[in-house]
Amino acid sequence: AKWSELKDMLSFALKLDQRRYPIQAWALFSHEGRRLADELFEDKRHDPENRLIPYLFSRTGYAVVMEGGQWFWPGVHEGYIRQIMIDDKTNATLQTLSLQPLVLSVEGFLTDEECTYIQDTATPLMRYSDVTLMDKDKGRPASDFRTSQSTFLGGPGNKYPTLNDIDYRTAELV
């Protein structure tokens, strides 16, 4: 089956064409959360012989279609635990803490070395959070009111390669 044919069959079977509101973009994922096809997927360019979808079903018995086009790990039930592979070198354990709202605990996401790196990199850059003082408090240090400190280490393309790896891994997780 082609991606477009699969979408049509599912829309019919699930009666999605009878909804009053528009259907969001779809994406097809492996049982491991890897994106395999989406709205931009062109059957002939990516899968000229239309073997991808039958292969998935023959290998695992299922694939996951997500409306909205974004993968998220389902909660299943409180206390549910699953092992996942985030990237080629990182295994993690997800545990469902709550279904409403969905709250997952991720164990094994950061190594001890990465935690130390983040702390060592951030510590010299930490600054007290800004506060707006009342007139009577002008001239007093913000530390009298706020004890929190923070810093921003940057996003993609920043000068910290270890943080770029963590950013990539975060994107793979969600």
Side-chain angles (χ1 to χ4, degrees):
K2 295 180 181 178
W3 169 236
S4 56
E5 292 170 354
L6 177 64
K7 283 179 52 187
D8 290 343
M9 291 185 316
L10 288 171
S11 288
F12 178 77
L14 299 173
K15 300 178 180 166
L16 297 179
D17 53 348
Q18 297 175 12
R19 296 193 307 192
R20 292 184 200 158
Y21 49 91
I23 296 172
Q24 295 184 29
W26 289 24
L28 179 71
F29 297 87
S30 73
H31 67 289
E32 299 164 326
R34 299 281 180 233
R35 181 181 297 269
L36 303 170
D38 57 30
E39 294 294 327
L40 301 176
F41 183 82
E42 298 172 21
D43 292 318
K44 295 298 179 201
R45 189 179 75 190
H46 295 288
D47 188 19
E49 297 177 22
N50 296 313
R51 294 185 179 170
L52 174 67
I53 295 169
Y55 168 75
L56 285 173
F57 288 103
S58 68
R59 183 165 176 234
T60 64
Y62 65 94
V64 179
V65 175
M66 302 287 275
E67 185 182 11
Q70 182 60 47
W71 174 261
F72 65 91
W73 291 99
V76 183
H77 61 78
E78 286 185 20
Y80 185 79
I81 296 173
R82 70 166 50 91
Q83 301 296 318
I84 63 167
M85 183 82 153
I86 297 175
D87 58 23
D88 294 337
K89 56 187 176 190
T90 309
N91 292 310
T93 302
L94 293 182
Q95 180 177 4
T96 304
L97 302 179
S98 170
L99 291 174
Q100 192 66 8
L102 180 61
V103 178
L104 303 174
S105 166
V106 183
E107 185 177 323
F109 183 76
L110 295 173
T111 65
D112 290 343
E113 293 78 19
E114 288 170 328
C115 291
T116 300
Y117 177 84
I118 292 169
Q119 291 170 345
D120 291 347
T121 304
T123 297
L125 304 172
M126 298 293 281
R127 301 290 177 261
Y128 280 102
S129 302
D130 289 333
V131 294
T132 302
L133 300 175
M134 296 173 43
D135 288 341
K136 66 180 177 87
D137 296 320
K138 298 266 187 213
R140 292 177 62 191
S143 59
D144 284 356
F145 306 94
R146 280 270 168 102
T147 57
S148 65
Q149 295 183 31
S150 61
T151 192
F152 183 72
L153 295 177
N158 66 47
K159 63 181 182 178
Y160 308 106
T162 299
L163 296 181
N164 286 334
D165 292 344
I166 294 168
D167 284 345
Y168 174 77
R169 201 174 327 136
T170 302
E172 287 294 306
L173 178 64
V174 295

